[in-house]
């Protein structure tokens, strides 16, 4: 019996061993799978829109130390401080997640408690919401005190994720709610390429930047060295070019002491700029900066290496990895890089300013800067600070005030944060300039309605000889001194008229001003609708309809359908027609004629108005022409800025069109946002970009590839087309839905989604996929 039992037991052991082996193999595979696929986790945490709320700097340089209570109370360091008692928290879903249905936020005064998942200041509990943001609702926060927060969320199947890595933050000593949180400016040391020349050196930092210059030099005795810095190189020799005007050039004598020493160049003071009360000064912890690319050393024959010549570049934090673009057109690629870098280089003040000449925020400049900055980097602090400044410091052009409303809407659309439009809603209503409207519904600056009461409501301060708003249309308006001197210079060339306004005729009622006014009313309707102000929304809609009707009565040429500049002229400018087209005033039956007219004028506007021109072209069937203008190599092109020698977008197409231009004007960077928003067609559809659109219009390009980033996460798309197929690869962040349109350019051929045929039929020349899920996908028409 014992022997039989022993045999049975051995057989059982063999079976168990076999099962264990099989089970072990399965378990190993399962464990391996789980190891390869970690639990989802939120990422990209922001505190009050700041990506680096725990930043520590000293004289602009990031310090390799963690934020702590000692640093917070030490004035030697610069730290990012939250300027509200109820900060807004943002996060990005894990790429594995298709959606979230709830979240839980913990805020603690102690990092060790947070590590134990204890929120002593706020434990939100499980909040049923699909949003990727939430306002703080815990115990009162104290100024100059360290806090820590983290978040987890629940996916569609009600499974909680692991908690995200925590982020630290500090409350500002005086959180008033009237200021907006911003990170400190950054300083980064850069090296250059050195060229030895007779009795000196020529030094190239590759691109122009706002910064400081220091050098380690040797002398056997007291000696004098000539140092020249500037933005441009002489075309004929190894020397810094001195073209005068506002193209920066500085020459100074440096007295050397015996031995080896470090010397920092002291920049000249711009007295004219300093006297302007609207100028934004550099912060004390940075000091003065100067825009330059090249350095020339004369009368210096000692050995010099790249470690001894340092430029300290100053800019607002910029994520180089947030965007990229590449296409089959090498010129377009260069224009993209020019415009992208310009957003970084011109952020040196922490505000959107008009360049080095004045260093003043202007609304139109800031609007283009905002959109282009959003396109190349998901950064929102500069826009907030600039909007707040301009709200209470408006400038002189009539149209510029209206751009304040557009900026406020796009700030909300991209961030999902309604605090600005909520707090300043009544101020934004005033910025519509409805005070200047008459019984017809149109507005005018020439009908006696600019009163002292109006200036007070607008927060208007004196500019020049008077306080009046003045219609600008484009800039410069007339032939500038030192530019073109003969009307024959224009005829048969790239434009027809002097100035940049295409011969615009200014009347009492201005078509460009009223087209932008109509656009502002539409944006105010959107704003009022979101804020639940239904009566206001209905009012703005009614006013808009009234303005549109009167606009066409007053400005439309009934024989051609084109738009006239004013009520008493028969002149049709590119500006009157492109503003009306872009802001939605052209009836459907006249769009083709207006589009053809606008296209026929080529680039008859300035770098500023090119923003409106390109938007209108892409939105109304002129994508091919829009791409051609961005990739043009004519004098009035972005490529000409590179040919001129600039590495930052210029204030004008060429010095001939504006002799006092500067070479560091972000308002010349429209292609950065046009390529992203209009050509590649990637824009938010809902506030906070939890739903986006992807509507590419790449014309005849064979390939175009883009990465852009929203507050909800990065988006990557790649378009390829040939004579037989159209291919669209897309990658969206976790939980971000997309509205996708893929051109049906190959007749009735089939749409394939991830290799499988789709039953979707093309309509109006496109395959339209609504609520396309997040993640990666391949769409093909073949």
């Amino acid at each position: 019996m014992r022997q039989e039992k022993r045999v049975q037991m051995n057989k059982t052991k063999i079976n168990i061993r076999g099962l264990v082996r099989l089970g072990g193999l399965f378990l190993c595979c399962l464990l391996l799978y789980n190891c390869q696929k970690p639990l989802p986790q939120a990422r990209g945490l922001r505190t009050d829109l700041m990506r680096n709320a725990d930043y520590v700097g000293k004289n602009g340089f990031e310090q390799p130390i963690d934020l702590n209570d000692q640093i917070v109370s030490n004035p030697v360091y610069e730290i990012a401080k939250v300027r509200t008692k109820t900060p807004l928290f943002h996060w990005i879903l894990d790429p594995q997640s298709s959606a979230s249905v709830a979240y839980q936020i913990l805020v603690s005064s102690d990092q060790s408690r947070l590590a134990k998942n204890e929120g002593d200041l706020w434990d939100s509990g499980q909040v049923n919401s699909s949003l990727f943001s939430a306002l703080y609702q815990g115990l009162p926060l104290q100024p100059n005190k360290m806090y820590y927060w983290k978040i987890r969320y629940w996916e569609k199947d009600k499974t909680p994720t692991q908690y995200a890595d925590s982020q630290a933050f500090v409350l500002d000593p005086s959180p008033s709610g009237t200021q907006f949180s911003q990170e400190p400016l950054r300083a980064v040391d850069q090296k250059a390429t050195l060229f030895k020349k007779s009795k000196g050196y020529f030094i190239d930092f590759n691109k122009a930047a706002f910064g400081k210059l220091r050098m380690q030099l040797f002398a056997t005795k007291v000696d004098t060295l000539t140092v020249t810095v500037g933005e441009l190189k002489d075309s004929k020799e190894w020397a810094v070019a001195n073209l005068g005007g506002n193209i920066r050039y500085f020459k100074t004598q440096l007295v050397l002491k015996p031995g080896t020493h470090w010397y920092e160049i002291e920049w000249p003071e711009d007295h004219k700029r300093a006297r302007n009360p609207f100028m934004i000064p550099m912060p004390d912890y940075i000091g003065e900066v100067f825009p330059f690319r090249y350095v020339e050393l004369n009368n210096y024959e000692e050995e010099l290496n790249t470690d001894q010549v340092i430029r300290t570049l100053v800019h607002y934090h910029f994520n180089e990895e947030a965007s990229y673009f590449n296409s089959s057109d090498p010129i377009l690629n260069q224009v993209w890089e020019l415009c992208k870098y310009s957003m970084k280089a011109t952020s040196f003040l922490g505000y959107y300013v008009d360049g080095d000449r004045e260093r003043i925020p202007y609304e139109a400049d800031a609007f283009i800067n905002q959109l282009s900055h959003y396109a190349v980097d998901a950064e929102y602090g500069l826009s907030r600070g600039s909007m707040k400044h301009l709200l209470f410091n408006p400038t002189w052009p009539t149209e510029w005030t209206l751009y304040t409303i557009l900026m406020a809407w796009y700030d909300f659309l991209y961030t999902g944060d309604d605090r600005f439009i909520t707090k300043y809603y009544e101020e934004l209503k005033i910025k519509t300039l409805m005070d200047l409207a008459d019984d017809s519904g149109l507005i005018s600056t020439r009908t006696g309605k600019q009163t002292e009461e109006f200036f007070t409501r607008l927060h208007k301060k004196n500019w020049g000889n008077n306080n009046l708003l003045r219609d600008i249309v484009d800039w410069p308006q007339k032939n500038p001194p030192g530019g073109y001197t003969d009307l024959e210079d224009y005829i048969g060339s790239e434009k027809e008229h002097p100035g940049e306004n295409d011969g615009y005729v200014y009347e009492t009622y201005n078509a460009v001003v009223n087209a932008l006014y109509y656009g502002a009313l539409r944006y105010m309707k959107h704003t009022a609708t979101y804020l639940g102000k239904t009566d206001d929304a209905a009012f703005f809609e009614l006013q808009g309809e009234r303005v549109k009707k009167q606009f066409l009565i007053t400005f439309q040429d009934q024989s051609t359908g084109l738009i006239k500049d004013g009520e008493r002229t028969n002149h049709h400018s590119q500006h009157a027609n492109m503003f009306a087209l872009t802001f939605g005033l052209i009836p459907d039956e006249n769009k083709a004629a207006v589009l053809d007219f606008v296209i026929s004028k080529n680039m008859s506007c300035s770098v500023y108005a090119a923003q409106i021109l390109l938007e209108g072209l892409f939105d109304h069937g002129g994508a091919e022409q829009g791409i051609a203008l961005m990739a043009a190599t004519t004098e009035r092109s972005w490529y000409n800025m590179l040919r001129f020698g600039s590495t930052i977008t210029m204030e004008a197409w060429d010095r001939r069109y504006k002799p006092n231009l500067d070479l560091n004007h972000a308002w010349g960077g429209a292609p950065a946002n046009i390529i992203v928003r209009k050509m590649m067609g990637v824009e938010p559809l809902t506030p906070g970009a939890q739903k986006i659109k992807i509507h590419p219009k790449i014309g005849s390009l064979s390939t175009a590839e883009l990465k852009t980033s929203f507050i909800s996460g990065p988006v990557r798309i790649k378009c390829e087309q040939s004579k037989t197929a159209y291919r669209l690869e897309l990658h969206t962040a976790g939980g971000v839905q997309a509205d996708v349109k893929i051109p049906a350019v190959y007749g009735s051929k089939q749409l394939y989604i991830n290799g499988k045929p789709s039953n979707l039929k093309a309509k109006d020349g496109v395959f339209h996929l609504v609520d396309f899920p997040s993640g990666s996908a391949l769409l093909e028409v073949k």
Side-chain angles (χ1 to χ4, degrees):
M1 286 288 293
R2 288 180 182 177
Q3 190 174 0
E4 289 177 5
K5 286 184 179 179
R6 192 176 295 117
V7 170
Q8 264 187 324
M9 287 175 66
N10 287 338
K11 288 181 179 180
T12 304
K13 285 179 182 178
I14 291 169
N15 290 335
I16 291 172
R17 286 193 191 106
L19 289 172
V20 167
R21 286 194 188 100
L22 289 171
L25 181 62
F26 175 77
L27 184 60
C28 286
C29 290
L30 187 62
L31 288 172
L32 181 62
Y33 175 77
N34 286 332
C35 287
Q36 289 175 336
K37 189 177 181 182
L39 285 174
Q41 181 184 39
R43 56 197 60 197
L45 272 59
R46 294 177 187 247
T47 306
D48 224 43
L49 299 181
M50 295 188 294
R51 290 178 292 197
N52 303 283
D54 53 358
Y55 169 80
V56 179
K58 186 177 181 182
N59 297 325
F61 292 96
E62 185 171 4
Q63 301 300 296
I65 50 179
D66 292 332
L67 187 63
N68 57 57
D69 288 326
Q70 288 72 38
I71 288 173
V72 168
S73 58
N74 191 336
V76 169
Y77 297 103
E78 302 100 44
I79 59 175
K81 292 189 177 181
V82 172
R83 294 180 174 177
T84 173
K85 295 178 181 179
T86 54
L88 181 67
F89 300 124
H90 269 96
W91 57 91
I92 296 172
L93 298 194
D94 191 285
Q96 301 177 51
S97 300
S98 61
S100 64
V101 297
Y103 64 80
Q104 181 179 16
I105 294 176
L106 303 178
V107 181
S108 179
S109 58
D110 183 82
Q111 197 166 20
S112 61
R113 297 186 69 171
L114 191 66
K116 299 175 185 176
N117 299 333
E118 296 178 10
D120 60 312
L121 292 169
W122 187 37
D123 181 344
S124 69
Q126 183 176 337
V127 179
N128 293 325
S129 170
S130 60
L131 295 177
F132 305 166
S133 62
L135 277 171
Y136 177 75
Q137 298 180 40
L139 298 174
L141 301 175
Q142 302 303 313
N144 276 348
K145 176 80 176 64
M146 289 279 301
Y147 297 106
Y148 309 87
W149 77 281
K150 64 181 182 181
I151 180 255
R152 66 173 175 171
Y153 60 91
W154 279 258
E155 298 187 286
K156 262 184 167 181
D157 60 0
K158 308 293 178 69
T159 303
T161 65
Q162 62 177 318
Y163 278 104
D165 295 335
S166 64
Q167 187 177 74
F169 67 95
V170 178
L171 198 65
D172 190 82
S174 304
S176 62
T178 60
Q179 297 295 323
F180 294 96
S181 303
Q182 284 185 305
E183 298 175 30
L185 295 176
R186 305 292 181 92
V188 180
D189 282 345
Q190 297 177 312
K191 296 180 181 180
T193 303
L194 277 57
F195 301 92
K196 187 79 171 72
K197 65 176 196 171
S198 177
K199 295 185 178 181
Y201 288 86
F202 187 79
I203 301 163
D204 182 3
F205 282 96
N206 190 42
K207 291 182 179 180
F210 286 84
K212 300 182 175 188
L213 175 64
R214 69 182 189 275
M215 298 176 287
Q216 188 185 49
L217 304 172
F218 171 79
T220 56
K221 60 180 181 179
V222 175
D223 203 354
T224 301
L225 168 67
T226 302
V227 181
T228 309
V229 301
E231 293 178 293
L232 294 181
K233 176 186 174 295
D234 190 291
S235 60
K236 297 179 180 178
E237 57 181 325
W238 291 100
V240 178
N242 183 10
L243 300 185
N246 293 295
I247 298 174
R248 294 311 185 200
Y249 174 92
F250 177 57
K251 190 172 185 177
T252 187
Q253 300 295 313
L254 189 64
V255 177
L256 303 183
K257 300 177 291 185
T260 302
H261 302 280
W262 280 98
Y263 300 87
E264 183 170 321
I265 301 301
E266 185 175 337
W267 301 124
E269 184 177 355
D270 190 322
H271 295 286
K272 180 180 178 181
R273 184 174 64 200
R275 289 195 299 269
N276 193 318
F278 298 100
M279 186 202 76
I280 303 293
M282 289 297 298
D284 291 339
Y285 65 87
I286 294 289
E288 193 49 75
V289 294
F290 191 80
F292 69 98
R293 172 179 174 176
Y294 300 105
V295 180
E296 186 182 350
L297 303 184
N298 289 318
N299 304 322
Y300 189 77
E301 300 187 55
E302 303 294 338
E303 286 298 317
L304 196 64
N305 62 55
T306 57
D307 293 327
Q308 294 175 282
V309 182
I310 302 296
R311 178 176 71 179
T312 301
L313 163 68
V314 175
H315 63 90
Y316 198 82
H317 180 259
F318 191 85
N319 180 8
E320 298 281 0
E321 305 301 317
S323 66
Y324 66 74
F325 172 78
N326 188 56
S327 76
S328 53
D329 189 319
I331 300 297
L332 191 61
N333 299 342
Q334 292 179 63
V335 169
W336 162 267
E337 292 298 335
L338 168 71
C339 296
K340 176 179 176 177
Y341 176 70
S342 299
M343 298 307 112
K344 176 181 179 179
T346 57
S347 66
F348 67 101
L349 272 168
Y351 287 86
Y352 293 149
V353 294
D354 69 330
D356 189 51
R357 187 179 71 254
E358 294 182 297
R359 298 191 182 181
I360 296 172
Y362 284 86
E363 294 91 339
D365 301 58
F367 171 66
I368 299 170
N369 205 334
Q370 174 196 41
L371 290 181
S372 291
H373 197 171
Y374 289 177
V376 300
D377 189 15
E379 163 47 48
Y380 311 103
L382 266 72
S383 177
R384 279 285 168 95
S386 301
M387 287 194 305
K388 169 65 190 308
H389 174 88
L390 288 165
L391 206 60
F392 296 98
N393 295 278
T395 60
W396 63 267
T398 312
E399 299 95 312
W400 274 209
T401 292
L402 296 167
Y403 279 114
T404 308
I405 296 167
L406 276 63
M407 284 190 73
W409 174 255
Y410 279 107
D411 168 80
F412 170 55
L413 183 63
Y414 275 78
T415 65
D417 179 4
D418 64 4
R419 289 176 297 173
F420 189 94
I421 59 173
T422 299
K423 185 175 183 63
Y424 296 113
Y425 177 75
E426 294 300 324
E427 294 287 349
L428 291 171
K429 286 170 65 175
I430 296 167
K431 299 297 182 182
T432 62
L433 301 182
M434 286 188 296
D435 288 349
L436 301 181
D438 61 14
D439 292 341
S440 72
L442 301 179
I443 63 172
S444 173
T445 56
R446 302 183 180 185
T447 54
K449 293 182 180 292
Q450 295 199 64
T451 63
E452 288 301 320
E453 181 185 358
F454 168 69
F455 295 148
T456 300
R457 280 164 49 79
L458 202 62
H459 305 290
K460 187 81 168 55
K461 303 175 177 67
N462 286 317
W463 277 81
N465 298 325
N466 58 54
N467 205 25
L468 297 175
L469 290 175
R470 288 162 279 162
D471 300 352
I472 190 170
V473 176
D474 210 340
W475 192 256
Q477 295 173 332
K478 298 180 180 179
N479 187 27
Y484 278 136
T485 57
D486 195 327
L487 188 60
E488 292 181 1
D489 289 332
Y490 296 91
I491 298 173
S493 66
E494 293 178 29
K495 67 172 187 169
E496 184 180 355
H497 299 283
E500 293 287 13
N501 58 15
D502 194 31
Y504 198 92
V505 178
Y506 293 80
E507 296 282 3
T508 300
Y509 294 92
N510 182 327
V512 165
V513 168
N514 278 282
L516 192 49
Y517 172 53
Y518 173 72
L521 290 173
R522 291 172 66 190
Y523 284 108
M524 281 305 299
K525 175 199 165 187
H526 298 329
T527 303
T529 300
Y530 173 80
L531 295 178
K533 299 179 182 294
T534 53
D535 289 346
D536 279 4
F539 170 77
F540 288 125
E541 183 173 20
L542 185 63
Q543 285 296 103
E545 291 172 355
R546 187 178 173 208
V547 169
K548 184 174 184 177
K549 180 179 179 180
Q550 190 62 40
F551 183 95
L552 294 173
I553 291 172
T554 305
F555 301 115
Q556 189 174 43
D557 186 328
Q558 296 303 311
S559 63
T560 63
L562 300 181
I563 303 301
K564 302 179 292 183
D565 299 346
E567 78 278 10
R568 294 175 300 179
T569 181
N570 289 319
H571 183 261
H572 311 104
S573 66
Q574 184 181 48
H575 294 69
N577 286 273
M578 70 189 191
F579 270 82
L581 183 66
T582 298
F583 287 103
L585 285 157
I586 305 299
D588 290 343
E589 61 268 24
N590 301 125
K591 282 183 180 178
V594 171
L595 180 64
D596 288 345
F597 175 79
V598 170
I599 290 171
S600 73
K601 288 286 189 171
N602 296 314
M603 190 64 80
S604 292
C605 60
S606 74
V607 297
Y608 142 67
Q611 172 74 37
I612 306 302
L613 169 62
L614 292 172
E615 287 209 33
L617 290 177
F618 277 97
D619 285 347
H620 298 285
E624 191 71 58
Q625 292 77 14
I627 295 170
L629 287 174
M630 290 193 291
T633 58
T634 56
E635 186 178 62
R636 297 175 67 77
S637 71
W638 284 275
Y639 184 77
N640 190 59
M641 299 181 188
L642 294 167
R643 188 165 50 212
F644 190 82
S646 186
T647 55
I648 305 174
T649 51
M650 294 164 27
E651 188 179 3
W653 298 120
D654 191 86
R655 200 175 180 215
R656 293 199 298 168
Y657 302 110
K658 197 174 191 300
N660 71 334
L661 61 68
D662 59 32
L663 305 188
N664 38 68
H665 233 79
W667 87 337
N673 79 79
I674 295 295
I675 287 172
V676 174
R677 298 171 52 239
K678 301 301 178 181
M679 192 186 99
M680 303 304 283
V682 182
E683 282 190 283
L685 277 178
T686 60
Q690 287 191 220
K691 185 173 183 180
I692 63 173
K693 73 174 185 179
I694 301 176
H695 297 175
K697 300 173 184 176
I698 66 170
S700 58
L701 295 173
S702 59
T703 63
E705 186 174 6
L706 170 79
K707 176 184 178 182
T708 189
S709 296
F710 297 115
I711 201 164
S712 58
V715 178
R716 291 181 288 122
I717 70 168
K718 183 177 182 180
C719 302
E720 296 176 296
Q721 61 181 350
S722 66
K723 293 181 180 179
T724 58
Y726 191 107
R727 176 186 175 99
L728 172 63
E729 293 180 38
L730 58 90
H731 309 270
T732 55
V736 175
Q737 288 187 326
D739 183 285
V740 183
K741 288 185 179 180
I742 180 168
V745 293
Y746 304 105
S748 60
K749 292 186 179 177
Q750 182 79 47
L751 171 66
Y752 289 78
I753 302 176
N754 295 326
K756 297 179 180 180
S758 167
N759 293 324
L760 188 67
K761 302 298 181 184
K763 184 179 180 181
D764 298 327
V766 296
F767 291 102
H768 189 184
L769 296 95
V770 182
D771 297 335
F772 200 76
S774 63
S776 298
L778 172 61
L779 309 178
E780 297 172 284
V781 179
K782 61 182 182 179

